[in-house]
Amino acid sequence: MKIHLIAIGGAAMHNLAIALHKKGFKVSGSDDVVYEPSKSRLDKYGLLPAKMGWDESRITPDIDAIILGMHARVDNPELLKAQELGLKIYSYPAYIYEQSKDKVRVVIGGSHGKTTITSMILHVLNYHQKDFDYLVGAQLAGFDTMVKITDAAPIMVIEGDEYLASPIDRRPKFHLYHANIAVISGIAWDHINVFPTFADYVEQFAKFIETITPKGTLIYCEVDEGLNQTVLKSTADVEKIPYGVPLHEVRNGVTYLLPQQTPLNVFGDHNLMNLNAAKQVCTKLGITEEGFNAAIASFAGAAKRLELVSAVNQTNVYKDFAHSPSKLKATIHAVKVQFTDRKLVALMELHTFSSLNKQFLKEYSGAMKDADLAIVYIDAKTFEQKKMQPLTEADIKEAFEDDKLLFFDDSAKLEAYLKSLNYHQTNLLLMSSGTYAGLDLPKLASELKTN
């Protein structure tokens, strides 16, 4: 098979390129710019385009399939040439389905927890040496790539994003996978540039349930009332399995699953519900409860999901991908409950299109109330890049309903302030889907006052 990927540098796209290369396909690609770590990883496998930019001469009649990344535009010259030649053009989720249609497809959907649930399932299957393919949204310890596609594996575990499939396929990605076993972790409004109302957003999950193969399985979080209603309304011919927070206890900063007293490296109700979802999936895949517990005890978490940056004296520093209101609230609450004897400094960066929208901003009301000190940062350049109206400190405080909240739009001043604090018996939680304008988090953690 000869495959060409337009916009090969994306997180999912470059991993897909590597997976197809490993499968023995002849892979080429293009992009206008490729950043790290995609650049080095593509280069390692000889897949980095020799020249950046779009060139229609790369598109030839002998190409078996074009895979179109979301970064490409509808007027991309390579796309136009492919359409002119009548080549098969897939979005990456459509191509993932094409490569997995004869497998048992496990698709993890939901507004939060997708990567963690997927990671937990992969960890357990890997622990028990099961053969499986996968697509996950973060780099995991023990896994070389974020995508694996083979002919032999009977199972494919897929993180099912609800964002659009490609510039020319405006369906949510998770509608294209036709799950045999599906998970929905919860519904909390996001992607307002595509789904302008909450009702529009919820409808995508209702449609997702309809895409599950007949007689398939839906595993869903019963704690989410809105999700409960959506599931109850569905007439899809599927088995419905609810889950919630499993029995557990916290002792000396460690969470134990009950009644087996299984110690965990993860914590918080949110992560425990993720664990329960993963357990239900693994049960469907033939893993016993004892087998699941034995494996999950060594699960250390997905990258940037309550990832421990440092632990010195009585001070832990965590970084987390949390950026939406529901994720923010759950993550702050988890750290606060896990360490009841410590104060919590919580910093979040408003970075996404939704979070920087003044109308959507009010969804953050009370989201940081569990923190002892709440800080919000916005890189001033972000508004220019996204061509959006800047938000003021007053806008932020009003939306979060917190007059004591601190606001920064200069990373140097933010760093200086964080270093000026004393973190004795205090945890620091850093939440963002961005980079705080390139702030070196491990270096910052190493320079904090903890005595």
Side-chain angles (χ1 to χ4, degrees):
M1 292 287 285
K2 189 174 181 182
I3 310 293
H4 182 77
L5 292 89
I6 300 175
I8 195 172
M13 288 286 281
H14 89 273
N15 276 284
L16 177 56
I18 293 168
L20 295 174
H21 171 76
K22 287 183 172 182
K23 193 174 180 180
F25 289 8
K26 187 174 181 182
V27 178
S28 62
S30 58
D31 215 320
D32 53 356
V33 61
V34 179
Y35 297 105
E36 294 294 357
S38 304
K39 187 175 181 180
S40 296
R41 300 182 78 228
L42 286 171
D43 195 33
K44 175 184 173 183
Y45 291 97
L47 300 174
L48 184 68
K51 184 181 178 183
M52 291 297 124
W54 316 113
D55 183 355
E56 65 174 37
S57 68
R58 293 184 176 119
I59 310 303
T60 52
D62 60 334
I63 293 175
D64 295 294
I66 298 287
I67 304 176
L68 183 64
M70 197 62 205
H71 172 60
R73 297 167 63 99
V74 292
D75 61 353
N76 183 287
E78 294 184 17
L79 170 60
L80 296 177
K81 182 67 179 291
Q83 290 171 326
E84 181 188 322
L85 292 175
L87 300 180
K88 287 184 179 178
I89 301 169
Y90 298 88
S91 63
Y92 92 72
Y95 198 74
I96 290 290
Y97 173 73
E98 190 66 26
Q99 292 290 304
S100 63
K101 59 188 178 185
D102 296 324
K103 304 174 186 288
V104 173
R105 291 173 304 285
V106 179
V107 181
I108 315 303
S111 304
H112 40 68
K114 294 187 294 293
T115 299
T116 299
I117 296 169
T118 307
S119 304
M120 287 174 168
I121 296 166
L122 301 192
H123 179 83
V124 173
L125 294 177
N126 205 37
Y127 179 94
H128 290 288
Q129 300 182 325
K130 301 289 186 183
D131 189 15
F132 60 93
D133 290 342
Y134 59 85
L135 164 62
V136 65
Q139 193 61 53
L140 307 180
F143 293 86
D144 182 38
T145 58
M146 291 158 60
V147 182
K148 180 188 168 201
I149 302 172
T150 63
D151 289 324
I155 299 164
M156 183 154 194
V157 184
I158 302 168
E159 181 177 337
D161 185 6
E162 70 272 21
Y163 200 68
L164 304 181
S166 86
I168 60 172
D169 186 346
R170 309 296 285 178
R171 292 174 293 173
K173 295 185 184 80
F174 65 174
H175 289 182
L176 280 65
Y177 298 127
H178 301 284
N180 301 99
I181 302 169
V183 173
I184 304 181
S185 62
I187 304 176
W189 191 23
D190 202 355
H191 308 305
I192 65 165
N193 53 323
V194 179
F195 311 115
T197 69
F198 182 57
D200 291 333
Y201 186 71
V202 172
E203 181 62 21
Q204 308 316 311
F205 291 90
K207 288 179 180 176
F208 173 53
I209 297 171
E210 299 300 317
T211 69
I212 300 170
T213 55
K215 309 297 181 186
T217 301
L218 171 62
I219 296 162
Y220 67 99
C221 180
E222 63 181 345
V223 176
D224 186 316
E225 189 51 45
L227 172 56
N228 252 329
Q229 291 175 16
T230 302
V231 172
L232 288 172
K233 286 177 187 173
S234 174
T235 57
D237 181 17
V238 298
E239 177 189 15
K240 298 173 181 177
I241 301 175
Y243 69 89
V245 181
L247 289 172
H248 67 282
E249 65 180 11
V250 179
R251 298 197 309 270
N252 300 320
V254 177
T255 297
Y256 296 83
L257 275 184
L258 300 176
Q260 297 88 352
Q261 297 286 338
T262 305
L264 301 173
N265 291 309
V266 296
F267 60 87
D269 284 357
H270 195 61
N271 264 332
L272 289 167
M273 286 191 286
N274 292 338
L275 182 150
N276 217 353
K279 180 180 178 181
Q280 304 306 321
V281 170
C282 288
T283 298
K284 280 288 177 182
L285 296 176
I287 304 292
T288 65
E289 183 173 7
E290 294 75 18
F292 180 84
N293 287 351
I296 206 67
S298 57
F299 178 74
K304 297 181 183 177
R305 271 70 178 181
L306 268 178
E307 181 181 340
L308 185 64
V309 178
S310 74
V312 179
N313 299 328
Q314 296 292 301
T315 301
N316 288 6
V317 178
Y318 295 95
K319 64 178 177 179
D320 195 275
F321 194 67
H323 53 85
S324 68
S326 60
K327 292 174 185 173
L328 199 63
K329 202 174 293 185
T331 303
I332 291 172
H333 182 73
V335 177
K336 193 64 181 169
V337 169
Q338 191 74 5
F339 299 95
T340 54
D341 59 338
R342 299 186 194 179
K343 291 182 179 179
L344 176 61
V345 176
L347 162 66
M348 77 90 56
E349 176 181 15
L350 291 172
H351 176 73
T352 65
F353 180 90
S354 295
S355 68
L356 294 171
N357 179 282
K358 193 170 181 179
Q359 287 302 110
F360 184 81
L361 194 66
K362 58 190 176 188
E363 298 289 323
Y364 286 94
S365 173
M368 300 183 78
K369 64 180 176 59
D370 285 349
D372 295 283
L373 174 60
I375 307 170
V376 171
Y377 167 74
I378 302 176
D379 183 349
K381 295 176 184 174
T382 305
F383 294 109
E384 299 168 27
Q385 293 164 352
K386 296 183 186 291
K387 297 177 181 176
M388 298 178 72
Q389 187 71 28
L391 296 169
T392 66
E393 181 173 357
D395 292 331
I396 304 297
K397 288 185 174 182
E398 181 182 350
F400 279 81
E401 293 191 348
D402 186 353
D403 287 336
K404 295 179 181 177
L405 179 149
L406 300 180
F407 173 72
F408 291 86
D409 59 6
D410 182 306
S411 63
K413 289 180 180 177
L414 171 66
E415 183 177 7
Y417 178 75
L418 291 173
K419 289 179 181 177
S420 74
L421 299 175
N422 189 316
Y423 293 86
H424 178 63
Q425 289 194 318
T426 302
N427 290 332
L428 174 61
L429 174 58
L430 305 160
M431 297 166 289
S432 176
S433 59
T435 65
Y436 306 100
L439 189 61
D440 186 333
L441 301 187
K443 183 173 181 290
L444 169 69
S446 70
E447 295 173 351
L448 301 179
K449 301 172 194 169
T450 59
N451 293 319

